[in-house]
Amino acid sequence: MSRKWERMVRKNSKQINKTRAKQGKAPISTDPDRAEVFKGRSLLLSGFFIVVALFLLFTLTRAEGDNMYWFTTLSYLVVGIFIFFLRRPYLRVSKTTLSKRGLARELNLTAENIKEIVYQPNQIVIDMNGKTPRWVYTKMLNRFDVAAMAVRLKKYADQNNVVFIDKTV
């Protein structure tokens, strides 16, 4: 199919799926090349900010407590809650790339930069060529659905000729 035709089909199916969703019906089609996103929770960073807020709250004495101290304490608490609920770590698996959230931007990784993908119980490690640090996704630390990620990454590895090692067997 030509690209124009694919765009037209995608646009029309998107519009039909939107009306079917409003009616409470299942969508008619899904895009097989659509990126799949696996979201987790940032327990360490949000926990750190909440612990700092609690520390500031419990070390406050009645004589020293001014408005700026309360503002600082509540700011730490709000930042911790913000990171836990809104700024969630993720792994986006598309047809040819893997993406994740860095500190200030989205980091993309293509198949030729990946040395291997290792699936262990409750952990997935994506090892890169060169000195680039590994991407590690765990069930315990970041609350990722590792089993579902492994199925999708296995499919990605097969499509892009990347080594996939399953150590759960």
Side-chain angles (χ1 to χ4, degrees):
M1 279 194 289
S2 69
R3 288 187 210 155
K4 182 179 178 184
W5 178 258
E6 287 177 2
R7 283 193 304 266
M8 190 171 64
V9 168
R10 195 177 309 128
K11 177 185 158 197
N12 290 338
S13 63
K14 185 177 178 182
Q15 187 177 23
I16 290 172
N17 285 338
K18 190 183 292 185
T19 58
R20 287 179 65 91
K22 288 179 183 177
Q23 296 170 353
K25 297 178 183 176
I28 57 168
S29 67
T30 57
D31 189 9
D33 297 334
R34 189 181 80 233
E36 193 169 349
V37 179
F38 300 97
K39 291 188 177 184
R41 295 274 183 204
S42 181
L43 297 177
L44 283 181
L45 191 58
S46 61
F48 171 75
F49 282 117
I50 291 173
V51 166
V52 168
L54 292 175
F55 174 76
L56 290 175
L57 185 66
F58 289 131
T59 58
L60 174 69
T61 60
R62 296 287 178 204
E64 297 176 12
D66 61 347
N67 290 336
M68 199 61 194
Y69 192 87
W70 283 107
F71 177 75
T72 305
T73 304
L74 288 176
S75 296
Y76 274 109
L77 185 65
V78 167
V79 167
I81 291 171
F82 173 78
I83 289 173
F84 184 76
F85 286 109
L86 297 179
R87 190 164 165 80
R88 297 172 63 178
Y90 64 85
L91 175 68
R92 178 178 293 131
V93 182
S94 66
K95 189 174 184 178
T96 58
T97 61
L98 300 177
S99 304
K100 77 170 193 166
R101 179 186 313 244
L103 290 176
R105 60 191 167 102
E106 184 173 287
L107 302 172
N108 294 321
L109 186 64
T110 58
E112 47 275 349
N113 297 335
I114 300 174
K115 186 188 328 180
E116 64 184 5
I117 299 172
V118 180
Y119 172 47
Q120 300 170 353
N122 296 325
Q123 181 177 357
I124 291 181
V125 178
I126 302 172
D127 203 8
M128 271 77 80
N129 297 327
K131 294 186 178 184
T132 310
R134 300 179 301 176
W135 291 1
V136 180
Y137 297 95
T138 61
K139 179 144 181 95
M140 186 180 83
L141 190 60
N142 292 111
R143 308 303 302 159
F144 280 103
D145 186 9
V146 176
M149 286 174 69
V151 170
R152 181 62 176 101
L153 286 172
K154 172 76 171 138
K155 182 179 171 186
Y156 172 83
D158 291 340
Q159 288 176 347
N160 295 299
N161 298 325
V162 176
V163 177
F164 185 85
I165 301 171
D166 189 358
K167 292 187 177 179
T168 60
V169 186

